Amino acid sequence: MTKLAIDSLDTFFPRLMPVRQWDLQAAKYAQNALPSAPPLVGMQPTDSGISYRALGATDDAGLPYLLPKLANLLHLSLGEAWTLWFFSILLLSYALGIYGMMRLLASPLVKVFYLIHLLIVTVLTVMVGDVYALSACLAIAAVPFALRFFTDTTDERRYRASLAVLFGAGIVFGWAHVIRSHAATGLILFMVTLLLFAMQVSWLKRMILIASLWFGFLVPPFYMKTVFDARDAFLSAQVGYRSLARQHPFWHSIYCGLGFLSNDYGLAYKDEIAEKKVRQVAPHAEFCSPEYETVLKSAVIDLIKKDPAFVVLTLLAKFGLILIYFCLFANVGLFAAIRYPKPWQIELAFVLALGFNALFGLLVMPRFSYLLGFIAFAVLYSAVSLDYALRQRAEKTVASLQ
């Protein structure tokens, strides 16, 4: 097969999965070779002619949609556009988050403590790279402001401003979801919990604020639906393309994730293992099609019935590793939270955010790449807990001296 005649030798830094690199190259080739082609149409030359394919067919379509446009707009290679995009998101998120956290925290010691831990998260994020960084960046940027503005009484002026801010935040979260499925879901759970239970406004206003966030979130997916429809119509006319379900492959990931421990079932965290299983049952099922997912769903359920002990042991092993990560990154904040519990609304918000972000490691694989959002929330939880404990301790000391 002839290689793409564009940016094939680019070095993508930070790391970007090869499959995403090829999607980006196929998208840019289509832009250059056939400008009339809609976005998310991939083209690549082969020995027998031009091959067409749908990009972002099942999920994570944001990057092959946005990055080739950025590369063309700024006359950059794909590798340069990726580096610019990644570090722009990282720096903007961290600038917002550090500013917000310095305003939120009262103790200078805890501020230094947080910055040291944030440096560790930054190194991990750059090492992991790819689109997985989004969940950590969003949490670091938004959590300090959510804790400052959604845990007290709000006057009418701040309420109106909150409506606009939440709508804008929803749009950002929606784009994050398009780029990486559920990158912002844990953060949305965190914010909605504070809006429901910690904000001192009427229940009607709370519902309106949540609706503003939700409507903003829906804007990018609704827009992308028009992009998907245009892509599918074009490919249908060119090659008889049949649209797949536009959702993240769930059972494929679950099935592969059962290979976390050594086993006698031939399971391993490899795409080809899941594909091989499907081929045995449905040889012609397309990758991540409804038929493909149904086969793997049945395989997972059959394994649970056949050997529940193995499945439970696998989940416990993953949970144990995730718990180690939590203790490692929350560290002294855990003791502070036990000794001086925060208001239940804040604890609940963190529990829901941490719990949701832990699911990626529990159901699939407990790798840093899947747990960056979980780690970011653990670091935030630690700093907030420690700062609250020090303030409570200082207030008790003052009260005892009076």
Side-chain angles (χ1 to χ4, degrees):
M1 181 180 291
T2 305
K3 291 186 177 181
L4 293 181
I6 54 158
D7 299 330
S8 298
L9 301 179
D10 273 357
T11 299
F12 282 75
F13 177 80
R15 175 181 173 272
L16 187 64
M17 286 179 63
V19 66
R20 296 196 220 281
Q21 293 186 34
W22 279 101
D23 279 353
L24 292 173
Q25 291 169 341
K28 191 171 183 183
Y29 185 90
Q31 282 188 356
N32 295 339
L34 189 62
S36 61
L40 296 182
V41 168
M43 294 172 58
Q44 59 188 81
T46 67
D47 294 334
S48 58
I50 297 295
S51 172
Y52 291 90
R53 61 193 177 97
L55 305 178
T58 54
D59 74 326
D60 298 352
L63 207 62
Y65 175 76
L66 294 171
L67 211 63
K69 293 179 179 295
L70 178 64
N72 281 353
L73 178 66
L74 300 180
H75 305 289
L76 301 173
S77 70
L78 287 171
E80 292 168 339
W82 162 245
T83 301
L84 175 63
W85 184 90
F86 183 93
F87 283 108
S88 295
I89 298 294
L90 187 73
L91 291 174
L92 178 60
S93 299
Y94 276 52
L96 284 171
I98 291 173
Y99 171 78
M101 209 61 171
M102 294 306 102
R103 297 290 300 275
L104 177 69
L105 300 175
S107 169
L109 180 63
V110 178
K111 292 178 181 180
V112 174
F113 172 84
Y114 174 70
L115 290 174
I116 292 172
H117 283 71
L118 189 60
L119 178 61
I120 298 172
V121 176
T122 306
V123 172
L124 278 176
T125 301
V126 175
M127 287 176 58
V128 169
D130 216 290
V131 295
Y132 305 115
L134 272 177
S135 56
C137 288
L138 290 172
I140 288 165
V143 164
F145 293 97
L147 288 172
R148 281 187 65 201
F149 296 112
F150 300 151
T151 56
D152 60 3
T153 303
T154 301
D155 58 29
E156 191 62 30
R157 182 178 178 182
R158 181 182 288 186
Y159 170 74
R160 290 195 299 269
S162 296
L163 282 173
V165 169
L166 284 170
F167 182 77
I171 292 176
V172 173
F173 298 162
W175 275 114
H177 180 75
V178 169
I179 294 169
R180 176 60 184 172
S181 292
H182 296 293
T185 304
L187 178 58
I188 291 173
L189 287 173
F190 181 89
M191 294 176 67
V192 169
T193 302
L194 293 181
L195 288 169
L196 275 177
F197 303 117
M199 202 168 191
Q200 301 301 309
V201 295
S202 69
W203 280 101
L204 176 61
K205 288 185 176 181
R206 297 181 205 193
M207 294 297 106
I208 293 174
L209 288 169
I210 293 171
S212 180
L213 176 67
W214 179 244
F215 286 134
F217 178 83
L218 291 177
V219 170
F222 271 117
Y223 170 74
M224 289 302 296
K225 182 182 183 302
T226 65
V227 176
F228 292 141
D229 290 342
R231 177 204 65 190
D232 293 351
F234 177 87
L235 290 175
S236 177
Q238 295 291 328
V239 295
Y241 172 75
R242 182 170 61 88
S243 178
L244 299 176
R246 298 167 185 172
Q247 60 185 21
H248 192 85
F250 181 77
W251 292 104
H252 171 91
S253 302
I254 300 296
Y255 186 81
C256 292
L258 290 172
F260 178 62
L261 299 176
S262 299
N263 60 85
D264 298 327
Y265 300 106
L267 295 170
Y269 189 64
K270 296 179 180 179
D271 290 339
E272 54 265 31
I273 298 295
E275 292 183 50
K276 180 180 178 180
K277 180 65 178 178
V278 173
R279 297 292 166 256
Q280 294 172 354
V281 179
H284 303 295
E286 296 184 45
F287 180 71
C288 292
S289 65
E291 183 183 7
Y292 181 100
E293 284 281 275
T294 299
V295 171
L296 292 179
K297 176 183 177 181
S298 298
V300 171
I301 294 174
D302 290 343
L303 185 58
I304 293 172
K305 293 178 179 178
K306 179 181 180 181
D307 195 348
F310 165 73
V311 176
V312 171
L313 184 62
T314 300
L315 292 175
L316 286 176
K318 293 180 185 180
F319 179 78
L321 187 54
I322 292 169
L323 188 60
I324 291 173
Y325 289 154
F326 180 63
C327 293
L328 182 64
F329 287 98
N331 47 69
V332 296
L334 278 175
F335 299 102
I338 294 170
R339 181 68 179 83
Y340 296 97
K342 297 179 293 300
W344 68 268
Q345 299 93 334
I346 296 177
E347 293 286 359
L348 178 61
F350 271 111
V351 167
L352 291 176
L354 285 163
F356 183 85
N357 281 290
L359 287 176
F360 301 111
L362 186 63
L363 297 179
V364 186
M365 195 65 61
R367 294 178 171 178
F368 282 135
S369 53
Y370 294 146
L371 292 172
L372 277 178
F374 176 83
I375 289 169
F377 267 104
V379 168
L380 289 161
Y381 180 80
S382 180
V384 170
S385 298
L386 186 57
D387 188 70
Y388 182 82
L390 291 176
R391 278 186 286 149
Q392 291 296 105
R393 183 177 178 181
E395 290 175 7
K396 287 186 177 181
T397 302
V398 170
S400 66
L401 294 174
Q402 290 177 348

